[in-house]
Amino acid sequence: MQLNMPDQTPAPGRAEAPSRGRGAGSTRPLTLERQLVVKPDESDFSSLEKVLAEAVEHAGITGLVNRRLTGKGEVLELRLIGSRRLPFSLTTDAANAWLEAADVDATAVYYDAYLVISLRDKPSVDKLVERLLGPFMYAESVRERLHDALAQHRLHAVVSLPDSTSMVLVLRDSENLAAAVRLGAVLGAEDIADGLKLYRPGGIRKFAARVRLLLTGALGAGVGVLAETGCAHEEPALRVRLTVDQGLRLAGRIAAEPVRAEQEEDPPPVEETEIPPLWIPSGL
């Protein structure tokens, strides 16, 4: 078997944010304005509320944003409902220590049984978005782009983010790892499974080693590929671990490849229109 490697490995550097939708092959520099629909207006506190609320949603953090009037004026509050994707535990000491270390001018207190971060102006909101929410906002945009690129080729994988710097791609199906084989073909290795018995654990492990070699050539060092041989209740799978920047490069590679006829989505079924009955007058 011969693996067809790319001529060049993309040079490491500052990653770019993906555009969404059918034009997923293009990239744009990551900016807050391109991540969020609402542009902040320093003179309008309500716009800051919308910016922070959208940032929380894009980052996948469980929280609510609202304004509250205090004796010292109006503040913007981020009420943390859970600890998902937070770099600190849900205690005031841990949260305030993180805010101080991140140079965010805000305070964390318990209010109505929730940990609440209070912010008073645009600079503090901007810095909280950049330091707390920005990494996962970027990672989520890359995850979405990779998911869309895979879907174009009918590679319906599960892409998850264990943290803000890495992603896991799981290719699982009941047809002898057909999805993973198709991914290899999309990346130029048509014969990646030749000579292997993918219904046996040994064949699956050898296949995983070939996939790792292919992805390393395409994306650079550090790719991890784990073979899951499956059992009576679960199909075999390949679990691929990438950095977020490698995920972005993989999405670009996949999106640049033409979709083959056998990989095109089936057209939606034509809905039959019920024809109303034609009543014939009895006199005819």
Side-chain angles (χ1 to χ4, degrees), residues 55-246:
V56 169
E57 180 181 358
H58 285 302
I61 288 176
T62 309
L64 295 174
V65 178
N66 63 277
R67 288 178 290 165
R68 188 165 66 91
L69 188 62
T70 69
K72 297 181 179 180
E74 193 172 31
V75 298
L76 194 60
E77 294 183 337
L78 169 57
R79 178 174 299 192
L80 298 171
I81 300 175
S83 59
R84 181 174 182 260
R85 294 185 173 178
L86 294 178
F88 50 81
S89 60
L90 290 179
T91 66
T92 54
D93 289 344
N96 282 310
W98 185 90
L99 290 168
E100 182 178 359
D103 194 28
V104 178
D105 185 15
T107 56
V109 297
Y110 261 93
Y111 184 75
D112 285 346
Y114 293 100
L115 184 66
V116 177
I117 297 177
S118 299
L119 308 110
R120 296 189 177 278
D121 52 30
K122 179 179 180 297
S124 61
V125 172
D126 287 346
K127 193 160 289 186
L128 185 71
V129 169
E130 176 191 351
R131 304 285 169 85
L132 179 63
L133 309 175
F136 268 111
M137 290 169 62
Y138 174 74
E140 280 289 353
S141 67
V142 174
R143 186 197 64 79
E144 181 178 337
R145 179 181 171 185
L146 180 57
H147 180 274
D148 290 348
L150 290 164
Q152 289 180 19
H153 293 269
R154 302 192 73 174
L155 298 170
H156 302 298
V158 176
V159 185
S160 60
L161 297 171
D163 52 62
S164 63
T165 61
S166 61
M167 57 177 44
V168 174
L169 170 67
V170 179
L171 295 158
R172 184 191 305 276
D173 57 54
S174 58
E175 300 177 5
N176 293 332
L177 293 171
V181 174
R182 289 201 306 273
L183 175 61
V186 169
L187 296 177
E190 298 274 357
D191 56 352
I192 192 169
D194 284 3
L196 298 180
K197 298 177 180 179
L198 297 182
Y199 55 88
R200 292 185 176 179
I204 294 173
R205 285 191 286 268
K206 290 178 182 178
F207 178 63
R210 292 182 181 182
V211 172
R212 181 180 179 278
L213 179 61
L214 175 67
L215 293 177
T216 298
L219 307 174
V223 176
V225 180
L226 175 65
E228 297 181 353
T229 55
C231 61
H233 304 288
E234 195 170 37
E235 297 108 0
L238 285 192
R239 187 176 297 270
V240 181
R241 190 178 183 98
L242 308 168
T243 67
V244 170
D245 289 346
Q246 285 174 331

Side-chain angles (χ1 to χ4, degrees), residues 10-30:
R14 184 177 67 84
E16 295 178 315
S19 59
R20 299 179 178 179
R22 298 295 297 178
S26 62
T27 57
R28 298 179 181 177
L30 179 66

